[in-house]
Structures are given as C-alpha cells and as structure tokens.
Amino acid sequence: MNVYDFDKTICRDDTEEDFFYYELRHHPINWLYIPYFIRTHILYKRGKIDEPERRHRIYLTLKHIKDIDKEVLKFWKKRKKKILDWYKKQQKEDDVIVSATPRFLLEPMLIALNIKHYIVSEFDIHTRRFIGPINAGEEKLRRFKKAYNIEEIDNFYTDSLRDTPMLLVAKNAFMVDKKYQIHRWENRN
C-alpha cells in the first residue's frame, strides 16, 4: 500500500493555514482577533506555548460560523484544484492518508477524492480543542500501527522530516520538496 501525508505532499500548501486566511477573508469579524493571533504566533516562536496550543488558538476563527460543515465545503470548492496531478495519476484504492489536519477540515476532501482510508487529528468544533494528541511525528506511526500492518507500507510520501518515524518503516520513502518534486529519501543516520 502507499501512504501519504496530505499537506504540502499531495496537496499544494497547508490546509489549516489556507482555512485560517479563508476565514479572515470571508468573516471580517475575525479581524478583531488579529492582535490575539499575532500574540499567539510570538508566544509560539518564543517557545512559550506548544504546537497544540497554537492550533487551538488559531481555531478561534470558528467562533462565528453557524454551519461549519457548510463552510468547509465552500472552502474546498475553491481549493480542490490544489490536489497535485502526480498524486491523481498514481492514486490507488488502498491508499492511506496520515495527516495532522483535523477530521472536520480534511474529511470532506478525502471523501470527494474517493480516499477511503485515512488517519487524521480529532478535533471538537464546539470547544475548538483537539481530542487527544495531534496526529504528527511518533503519533502518526502509533496510530498507523493500531490500524494497519507497517510491513504493508510499500511507499511513504511526505514533505517533512517530522514524519521520520513513518519514513523509517516504509519499504520506500519519498520526500516532496517545496517545488512539489518527489525525491527518494535515504536514512542518513
């Protein structure tokens, strides 16, 4: 089976960042929170808050959305073109997507792409908090092992060395660079 990260791997850019800016454009009330978002960014860069907390704070943009599911569908209508052609050409029925992006945001596109197998971060849209750890790094491998046999990973594709645990267990590992070119990854330990 082939296993893929999603953002900046089979999809151009980062879904959460794009959604954040989409919400700023489509719900101007979110501009009131710009000082809060700037402060959050500074605290994160200085190591005062961690990645999960930074993400929790950014999802304040959900506060004024009446129908989040409908909003996400509108977001993906314009963003569907960001799915990379190389992936569309090699997509298979047993592909597995492993992503840190929350289910509420990613699942509609995965369904539209007819991707049946995925492991994503769980998120409560009402409390705007992640449920359990974000699906990244070692957590991706832990969740993958719980759902699938790691010996079945023929190829793993990602854009980030944060996914090294998954890269190490794949028969073949590939990195997607900033220009969305694919390169074989060799463990250089």
Side-chain angles (χ1 to χ4, degrees), residues 76-90:
W76 277 112
K77 268 188 182 176
K78 294 185 178 198
R79 197 165 191 276
K80 189 173 185 174
K81 65 182 181 262
K82 289 194 173 195
I83 302 302
L84 297 165
D85 287 336
W86 71 263
Y87 174 71
K88 292 179 201 172
K89 290 175 185 171
Q90 72 182 43

Side-chain angles (χ1 to χ4, degrees), residues 8 21 26 42 57 61 69 71 145 150 152 184:
K8 298 181 181 179
Y21 291 115
H26 290 85
I42 291 168
R57 291 177 180 207
T61 57
D69 293 334
E71 187 78 5
K145 282 181 178 178
I150 61 169
E152 293 179 28
R184 182 174 289 281

Side-chain angles (χ1 to χ4, degrees), residues 141-155:
L141 181 58
R142 188 189 72 73
R143 289 186 192 186
F144 188 89
K145 282 181 178 178
K146 193 173 176 182
Y148 301 97
N149 182 345
I150 61 169
E151 275 87 45
E152 293 179 28
I153 303 173
D154 295 315
N155 302 295

Side-chain angles (χ1 to χ4, degrees), residues 47-69:
K48 303 289 184 187
I49 61 172
D50 61 9
E51 178 70 10
E53 183 59 27
R54 181 190 73 82
R55 287 178 169 196
H56 291 306
R57 291 177 180 207
I58 294 303
Y59 280 112
L60 182 61
T61 57
L62 300 176
K63 185 175 181 178
H64 300 286
I65 301 173
K66 289 181 175 55
D67 187 339
I68 293 173
D69 293 334

